[in-house]
Amino acid sequence: MDNRINTLFRNKKNEVLSVYFTAGFPKLDDTLKILRSLQWAGVDMVEIGIPFSDPVADGPVIQESNKKALDNGMTLKNLFSQLEDFRKNIKIPVVLMGYFNTIFQFGVESFCRQCAETGIDGVIIPDLPAGEFISKYKPLFDRNNIKNIFMITPQTSDERIKMFDSVSDGFLYVVSSSKTTGTNLISDDFSKRYFEKIKKIKLSNPTMVGFGIHDKESFEIASKYANGAIIGSAYIKAIAETKTFRNTTTEFIYKIRPKAN
Amino acid sequence: MNYFVDESGYYGDFGGAYIPEMLYPNVETLRQRYLEIINAPDFKKELDDLLRDYVGRPSPLYLATRLSEHYKTNIYLKREDLNHTGSHKINNTLGQILLAKRLNKTRIIAETGAGQHGVATATVCALMGLKCVVYMGKIDMERQAVNVQRMRMLGAEVIPALSGSQTLKDATNEALRDWINNPVDTHYIIGSVVGPHPYPDMVARFQSIISKEIRSQLEEKTGRSTPDYVLACVGGGSNAAGAFYHFLDDENVKLIAAEAAGKGVETGLSAATCALGKPGVLHGSKIIVIQTEDGQIVEPYSISAGLDYPGIGPFHSNLYKTGRAKFISITDEQALKAGYRLTLTEGIIPALESAHALAVLDTMKFKPSDVLVINLSGRGDKDLETYFKNEVKI
């Protein structure tokens, strides 16, 4: 079943820009302000991070934003209540990204229902293995039209990439290098060979490159091989101290992808 | 009832491999190859030879006469404290480093709480000439300073974990991140029966030599191969897994696990997982873990760095849920007292971790005819400062 993610990639094949931020950071109630300013700046898709005490796939910047968000009192319940009416203003696809334990404690079924009710389009759960997802949870996600986004890394075999492609209907998250978030290694030959390899597989799903995308150059390299890219740590750094999300966000986004005329 | 891991990597409801895709190839290779490697005759011979000649196995099973008199029962101590490096941890690190070599890995990483696993890992890396990096919580580095120096002397790089509570949980996060960042040349030697499948099963198998020896040693000494009770402390649970392993199917053998209550289960300063936790996912598997309603992991506390962990591995989570093992919470104070009692009645200074298992003697009634085996998982040298600061009069 189509949702906003499918529509986005049907209408836009290149230089799709997705931005990640952590819910509850820098302040507890910043979620909607940040969402609105990202949409205003022309971002195509947003990923909202559900903070977790032990984010093993994340580097120092996102770890710190998770910690701060939790100290601010952010919870998944709280996030859903902040998002209750967000679809009145926000039209771009929104994906939730979080570690499995917070979703497991919330109840996977209630989580999927709440996502559907509030208007969330997809989820990225880095530590929920594909096998577990397919055997236990896929029907719940499908019933609520929530796309589960799988990650691909340089070590993922071709067979496994094809398997992810066959069970996906949203996009595939191409992790730029085998690193935690916030490391900058995208422009080396190794990454390029890996991106080329993925391009040759001719996947049926769109691809978005993430991890290490932090400026215009890395965004453009990623966009050459994939449909677009995802920015996380660099944006978190940019908004850490700001008071005016709209100005900071616009300035940050235009530096990466200048405004189309 | 099956208490061992099933084909999909679960112990009942617990276990699995909840890992980011970045770790999948390494963990999957291990899963596919660990049994074939560790069951190969040349592997077994190399490991057995090293366990005998380098570690000093079998470790003695010692009838603690004066302690038995005090508690009016029959207490045997399995002397893992006498192993090279001073604890049971070396049983696993030796096994895993031989495995890592067969997987052509050249760099070893490990997490450590009390430093015992870190020392055991640094030791086998020195023995095999492999590069070694150990992650340790900053707070643990302070309270176990001597072990930090030992690791460095053994050639390991010790990196402080500065996130979260700066203890074992955070050291494990950092080690996992290191593995994500170095997937090709590095093997992660997990020290406990935690982590994604096949780690809990692999570590339990390497530690199972403890109960294998107990069976034959007890038979030799008493004519019976099974005791009435086996007692061990549980942080993640590796020494208890080793001590329980070959008794799991003897339902007449009562298994007692001592978990660290810290200042007391209700004080908010505790690591008593079964008393305070519920099923959740941490460090790659579904386990019982102390957490908030929102699923955030709660920072644990125990005087013993080795038990200062918010969860118990899937093996033990299942033993708790099925009732096969009984879990008892032991406070810092009870552990210190038990440590002093063993010191003064038997001339053995136990590690604070092992002192938690000994403290069960003060909380349960045993019959004069009962035969108990307590796994003395480590020696107390590393804890002397804590003992001195918290002297208990017996």
Side-chain angles (χ1 to χ4, degrees):
Chain A
M1 219 191 327
D2 251 24
N3 80 9
R4 292 176 198 88
I5 297 175
N6 309 105
T7 312
L8 167 65
F9 287 105
R10 199 174 313 111
N11 296 332
K12 187 161 183 175
K13 310 268 186 242
N14 298 310
E15 296 209 343
V16 173
L17 174 59
S18 180
V19 173
Y20 166 95
F21 71 94
T22 307
F25 175 86
K27 297 263 165 41
L28 181 62
D29 294 321
D30 287 339
T31 310
L32 292 181
K33 289 180 216 163
I34 297 174
L35 265 175
R36 281 196 296 264
S37 50
L38 285 167
Q39 179 171 270
W40 171 263
V43 163
D44 301 301
M45 180 161 54
V46 174
E47 287 169 27
I48 306 178
I50 306 162
F52 183 49
S53 53
D54 297 78
V56 289
D58 287 299
V61 174
I62 294 179
Q63 279 176 51
E64 197 48 44
S65 69
N66 275 248
K67 188 174 183 299
K68 186 83 193 300
L70 293 174
D71 290 347
N72 289 341
M74 185 44 92
T75 63
L76 184 49
K77 247 188 214 154
N78 199 336
L79 177 60
F80 277 127
S81 63
Q82 290 179 352
L83 292 177
E84 210 177 338
D85 295 320
F86 88 103
R87 280 294 171 204
K88 282 185 183 159
N89 303 307
I90 304 296
K91 305 299 170 201
I92 54 177
V94 174
V95 170
L96 293 188
M97 180 165 189
Y99 291 85
F100 186 56
N101 197 48
T102 49
I103 295 162
F104 181 61
Q105 298 309 322
F106 193 88
V108 180
E109 193 165 358
S110 325
F111 174 78
C112 289
R113 223 175 23 237
Q114 288 266 349
C115 283
E117 280 170 17
T118 49
I120 296 295
D121 304 290
V123 295
I124 304 170
I125 311 171
D127 61 343
L128 178 61
E132 206 77 28
F133 169 75
I134 292 163
S135 66
K136 288 192 186 141
Y137 303 117
K138 194 172 184 301
L140 280 176
F141 282 69
D142 289 348
R143 208 179 306 146
N144 289 287
N145 199 17
I146 307 297
K147 315 293 182 192
N148 182 55
I149 312 301
F150 289 102
M151 288 179 157
I152 292 169
T153 82
Q155 270 75 41
T156 308
S157 67
D158 290 7
E159 292 74 49
R160 198 165 159 82
I161 294 174
K162 285 175 194 159
M163 183 272 284
F164 288 150
D165 191 42
S166 72
V167 296
S168 295
D169 162 34
F171 67 93
L172 292 169
Y173 193 132
V174 179
V175 177
S176 63
S177 53
S178 276
K179 295 287 168 194
T180 45
T181 54
T183 37
N184 300 331
L185 273 172
I186 182 151
S187 53
D188 62 8
D189 286 346
F190 178 81
S191 293
K192 285 180 188 165
R193 276 201 304 277
Y194 154 64
F195 294 150
E196 261 162 24
K197 172 189 107 162
I198 291 174
K199 205 170 178 178
K200 273 195 201 127
I201 298 179
K202 299 216 183 305
L203 299 165
S204 61
N205 281 273
T207 51
M208 293 286 282
V209 174
F211 288 40
I213 313 298
H214 60 286
D215 57 10
K216 187 164 187 285
E217 190 201 353
S218 48
F219 177 71
E220 281 171 0
I221 294 172
S223 294
K224 259 205 298 201
Y225 300 96
N227 299 82
I230 303 160
I231 295 182
S233 300
Y235 181 65
I236 297 285
K237 270 192 228 168
I239 59 167
E241 301 293 336
T242 189
K243 292 202 172 55
T244 52
F245 289 114
R246 190 168 284 196
N247 292 350
T248 311
T249 303
T250 313
E251 200 180 311
F252 178 86
I253 298 299
Y254 287 0
K255 261 189 214 157
I256 285 161
R257 192 182 63 180
K259 196 177 181 184
N261 293 321
Chain B
M1 189 85 73
N2 176 32
Y3 301 110
F4 298 95
V5 76
D6 68 20
E7 279 202 348
S8 49
Y10 276 84
Y11 298 83
D13 294 338
F14 301 99
Y18 293 79
I19 44 167
E21 182 63 19
M22 293 80 100
L23 291 176
Y24 178 84
N26 271 332
V27 172
E28 180 60 12
T29 305
L30 268 185
R31 188 188 71 79
Q32 286 175 3
R33 298 203 51 202
Y34 81 112
L35 288 177
E36 156 221 333
I37 292 175
I38 69 180
N39 288 326
D42 69 309
F43 181 95
K44 281 185 164 171
K45 182 168 187 324
E46 193 177 356
L47 181 58
D48 286 350
D49 288 353
L50 283 166
L51 287 171
R52 185 187 64 235
D53 301 333
Y54 185 72
V55 177
R57 300 205 73 92
S59 66
L61 185 71
Y62 164 68
L63 174 60
T65 316
R66 293 190 66 218
L67 196 69
S68 299
E69 271 169 26
H70 179 80
Y71 288 106
K72 301 188 172 48
T73 190
N74 307 288
I75 302 167
Y76 286 86
L77 302 177
K78 179 61 173 165
R79 298 294 306 275
E80 292 299 301
D81 60 317
L82 294 178
N83 291 339
H84 178 44
T85 72
S87 82
H88 69 290
K89 292 292 188 188
I90 191 125
N91 303 329
N92 169 49
T93 58
L94 259 184
Q96 282 203 50
I97 202 151
L98 296 182
L99 181 92
K101 281 182 70 175
R102 281 160 175 80
L103 293 170
N104 298 316
K105 302 287 183 179
T106 54
R107 179 176 176 269
I108 299 292
I109 56 170
E111 84 297 335
T112 196
Q116 294 303 88
H117 174 59
V119 166
T121 304
T123 299
V124 298
C125 286
L127 177 69
M128 298 293 165
L130 295 187
K131 186 172 162 42
C132 180
V133 175
V134 179
Y135 289 89
M136 188 169 188
K138 188 164 166 281
I139 298 209
D140 289 340
M141 286 179 74
E142 285 156 17
R143 58 181 169 177
Q144 307 284 345
V146 176
N147 270 345
V148 175
Q149 287 168 310
R150 280 171 82 188
M151 285 184 269
R152 287 182 174 149
M153 185 173 170
L154 287 158
E157 182 187 353
V158 183
I159 301 180
L162 302 171
S163 55
S165 58
Q166 310 187 339
T167 60
L168 181 54
K169 166 178 86 85
D170 313 289
T172 309
N173 289 339
E174 290 306 327
L176 285 167
R177 288 184 186 118
D178 181 308
W179 211 18
I180 287 173
N181 288 321
N182 299 285
V184 179
D185 64 339
T186 299
H187 175 70
Y188 179 14
I189 301 191
I190 297 184
S192 193
V193 282
V194 301
H197 176 66
Y199 275 100
D201 183 52
M202 182 167 71
V203 177
R205 282 169 190 263
F206 287 137
Q207 292 296 357
S208 69
I209 190 163
I210 299 172
S211 47
K212 188 178 166 201
E213 287 176 5
I214 293 173
R215 281 192 89 102
S216 61
Q217 289 167 320
L218 199 65
E219 176 136 46
E220 205 175 284
K221 285 177 197 292
T222 66
R224 50 187 278 196
S225 62
T226 58
D228 297 293
Y229 293 88
V230 179
L231 297 86
C233 63
V234 173
S238 71
N239 92 80
F244 294 169
Y245 198 89
H246 289 287
F247 299 113
L248 287 171
D249 290 333
D250 296 295
E251 301 270 353
N252 57 330
V253 179
K254 299 180 209 48
L255 307 175
I256 310 289
E259 52 180 23
K263 302 279 188 196
V265 170
E266 307 295 338
T267 60
L269 290 171
S270 178
T273 302
C274 292
L276 297 167
K278 58 184 172 181
V281 173
L282 178 68
H283 295 152
S285 63
K286 200 174 275 179
I287 58 175
I288 297 175
V289 57
I290 310 176
Q291 55 186 313
T292 65
E293 197 197 334
D294 186 45
Q296 308 303 335
I297 309 306
V298 170
E299 311 291 0
Y301 163 81
S302 165
I303 196 169
S304 139
L307 303 183
D308 202 349
Y309 187 72
I312 51 172
F315 175 101
H316 293 292
S317 297
N318 185 48
L319 294 186
Y320 173 73
K321 196 185 170 196
T322 57
R324 177 66 188 93
K326 187 173 174 186
F327 285 71
I328 295 180
S329 307
I330 299 293
T331 62
D332 291 354
E333 203 179 324
Q334 290 172 308
L336 284 162
K337 188 176 165 200
Y340 269 95
R341 168 139 7 248
L342 185 72
T343 305
L344 292 169
T345 51
E346 296 288 347
I348 299 169
I349 303 174
L352 278 170
E353 289 77 19
S354 322
H356 283 73
L358 292 159
V360 171
L361 295 167
D362 290 318
T363 68
M364 283 177 68
K365 274 265 169 262
F366 298 98
K367 291 195 289 247
S369 59
D370 280 342
V371 172
L372 283 62
V373 175
I374 300 178
N375 196 32
L376 200 64
S377 55
R379 58 178 174 244
D381 307 33
K382 69 185 174 58
D383 297 314
L384 288 179
E385 227 174 281
T386 311
Y387 276 123
F388 298 160
K389 266 193 248 165
N390 300 277
E391 200 180 330
V392 180
K393 295 272 181 255
I394 299 295

